[in-house]
Amino acid sequence: MTKALLISFFVSMVPLIELRGAIPFGVGLFLAQRIELSPAILVILFVTCMVGNMIPVPFIFLFARKFLEWGQDKKILSGICTFCLEKGHRGGAKLQEKAGRGLYFALFLFVGLPLPGTGAWTGTLAASLLDMDWKKTCIAVISGVLLAGIIMMTLSLLVGGVASYAPRQ
């Protein structure tokens, strides 16, 4: 069980996968190991993935923008750094344009709806590029990750529950 939690923890730190992939992955690991999905196990998995997903957030907010701006001038890094900055600026501008005064609520929804390309990493980078307030950004991102986690846990249990009752050969 500890190994499955540790793997889920590290998977939740991976960009693009994050908690959205770590929760179903963890549920799958538990089912594969024939570990009963008790409420206590599910809460521990949820919290583990949530913490793993949130650990990179302060580093992204504080340092990613500086690194990307620095890397724009470097021969090897310029392409990826320029791409990330432009994508972040475009995404942030769209978010700001559509949200207006509800920018932090929009950030919460952006992070909370488990769609490809959205999540804590992208949302935090956009907030950093838009010079959004750190405390409000943290609240929006944590709340969004919580929402995404609830959605993914529910979907994982629905799919995992059905799969666990499928006939085995």
Side-chain angles (χ1 to χ4, degrees):
M1 182 175 100
T2 304
K3 185 177 177 182
L5 288 172
L6 197 58
I7 291 169
S8 298
F9 175 78
F10 286 115
V11 167
S12 68
M13 290 179 155
V14 175
L16 300 176
I17 298 173
E18 300 184 37
L19 167 127
R20 302 150 179 357
I23 286 178
F25 185 77
V27 168
L29 285 175
F30 285 130
L31 290 174
Q33 295 176 3
R34 300 199 187 279
I35 296 173
E36 181 184 343
L37 297 176
S38 68
I41 295 285
L42 295 174
V43 167
I44 292 169
L45 174 64
F46 186 90
V47 170
T48 300
C49 292
M50 188 102 180
V51 170
N53 196 187
M54 292 309 299
I55 285 177
V57 165
F59 299 102
I60 294 166
F61 190 86
L62 297 172
F63 302 115
R65 177 181 178 175
K66 291 175 181 146
F67 173 79
L68 292 172
E69 289 171 349
W70 170 83
Q72 275 187 304
D73 301 335
K74 308 304 179 243
K75 187 176 182 179
I76 296 173
L77 298 173
S78 68
I80 189 72
C81 289
T82 300
F83 170 80
C84 289
L85 280 170
E86 287 174 0
K87 183 171 172 54
H89 280 296
R90 276 194 315 269
K94 281 184 193 175
L95 189 65
Q96 203 167 25
E97 180 184 309
K98 289 181 181 178
R101 294 181 62 204
L103 186 59
Y104 293 97
F105 184 72
L107 179 62
F108 156 72
L109 290 177
F110 180 81
V111 173
L113 298 176
L115 300 169
T118 67
W121 282 69
T122 311
T124 303
L125 179 58
S128 174
L129 293 173
L130 292 172
D131 291 319
M132 293 171 68
D133 179 70
W134 165 244
K135 287 182 182 178
K136 292 178 182 178
T137 295
C138 273
I139 292 168
V141 171
I142 289 170
S143 302
V145 169
L146 182 63
L147 176 62
I150 291 168
I151 291 168
M152 292 312 299
M153 184 64 80
T154 302
L155 292 174
S156 298
L157 292 175
L158 288 173
V159 172
V162 170
S164 67
Y165 291 108
R168 303 210 191 272
Q169 298 178 5

